Amino acid sequence: MVNERLSATLEAIQAYAAAQHVPIMEEQGIHELVELLKVQQPERILEIGSAIGFSAIKMAESLPLCTIDTVERDDPRYRKAVEFIAQSGFGDRIRIFHADALELSLADLKKKYDAIFIDAAKGQYERFFDKYEELVPKGGIIYCDNMAMHGLSDLPLSEVPRRKRTMIRNLAAFKEHMLNHPCYDTELLSSGDGIMICRKK
């Protein structure tokens, strides 16, 4: 019964995302993230960028002992995420905040998270990282999705659509920053749309 309920919820999320053009993780990307998390076995995850709850629900499904805090600022997406999380049966393990992640008070969150998953405004990744990385203990991991930006990050900046150049420039600078960060071991995977794994030393 639970599996049927969850399957129906995930199908509804994917249908809604397709109809409303809401970006959710690609199958390969969410599979890779979940496999990485299964190896890590975090007890507490903070997600920056809930969208409509798809990745939070998939993480809860794969990590039965884990609790997840997730943050979404967009009103319609937040409301749909609340709805889908309730439908999924994981409402007791997923806590969603309706807030701008750059304005949310750290006092409202748990003191430490074994893992943080950043999947929000791509041009703001470094600001998200700088704000929340103190919540990760040594050995904890920060995962960042969409590092490839559907191939745009591999193009010369002159070939990137003008409206996306600042975002791509910021994303590239953040990637370079993390690959050379003295306090993190960073690895970049090509899975999905590119996942960056940053483990605190």
Side-chain angles (χ1 to χ4, degrees):
M1 183 67 181
V2 172
N3 287 342
E4 290 180 9
R5 175 181 179 181
L6 178 58
S7 295
T9 302
L10 291 171
E11 287 177 11
I13 291 174
Q14 290 170 315
Y16 181 89
Q20 301 298 322
H21 307 290
V22 177
I24 61 174
M25 288 191 77
E26 301 171 1
E27 284 296 332
Q28 184 186 0
I30 191 66
H31 174 76
E32 183 67 35
L33 175 66
V34 162
E35 290 303 308
L36 291 166
L37 289 169
K38 284 180 180 177
V39 172
Q40 185 194 358
Q41 287 295 312
E43 294 181 6
R44 294 176 299 279
I45 297 174
L46 173 63
E47 178 184 48
I48 307 301
S50 318
I52 53 176
F54 179 68
S55 48
I57 291 169
K58 291 293 288 183
M59 289 188 285
E61 174 191 17
S62 303
L63 300 160
L65 301 179
C66 183
T67 59
I68 299 158
D69 284 349
T70 183
V71 185
E72 178 56 50
R73 71 176 184 177
D74 182 80
D75 293 355
R77 292 182 185 183
Y78 166 79
R79 289 194 294 270
K80 290 305 292 186
V82 169
E83 178 184 326
F84 285 134
I85 289 167
Q87 288 177 15
S88 74
F90 294 133
D92 60 331
R93 293 199 287 121
I94 301 174
R95 180 173 62 156
I96 184 166
F97 293 84
H98 187 197
D100 184 325
L102 293 173
E103 298 175 1
L104 181 66
S105 170
L106 298 186
D108 292 334
L109 300 170
K110 294 185 172 70
K111 290 183 179 179
K112 291 292 180 183
Y113 293 90
D114 307 298
I116 294 178
F117 176 48
I118 303 177
D119 188 18
K122 314 312 168 195
Q124 302 295 330
Y125 271 21
E126 189 160 352
R127 294 181 68 197
F128 294 136
F129 176 88
D130 288 345
K131 176 169 180 173
Y132 290 100
E133 68 97 13
E134 68 181 77
L135 302 182
V136 177
K138 290 181 180 179
I141 301 176
I142 298 176
Y143 302 89
C144 305
D145 193 31
N146 300 121
M147 296 305 296
M149 275 310 297
H150 310 291
L152 289 180
S153 63
D154 294 328
L155 296 176
L157 201 60
S158 60
E159 295 180 23
V160 174
R162 191 175 299 275
R163 70 184 185 281
K164 295 187 176 181
R165 287 181 187 174
T166 297
M167 174 187 67
I168 294 299
R169 191 183 294 112
N170 289 352
L171 204 59
F174 174 57
K175 178 171 66 175
E176 188 69 19
H177 173 64
M178 291 313 303
L179 288 171
N180 294 286
H181 201 299
C183 300
Y184 284 83
D185 287 322
T186 298
E187 181 182 2
L188 197 58
L189 303 182
S190 60
S191 306
D193 195 29
I195 299 175
M196 190 163 69
I197 306 165
C198 312
R199 184 186 299 272
K200 186 178 268 189
K201 296 179 182 178

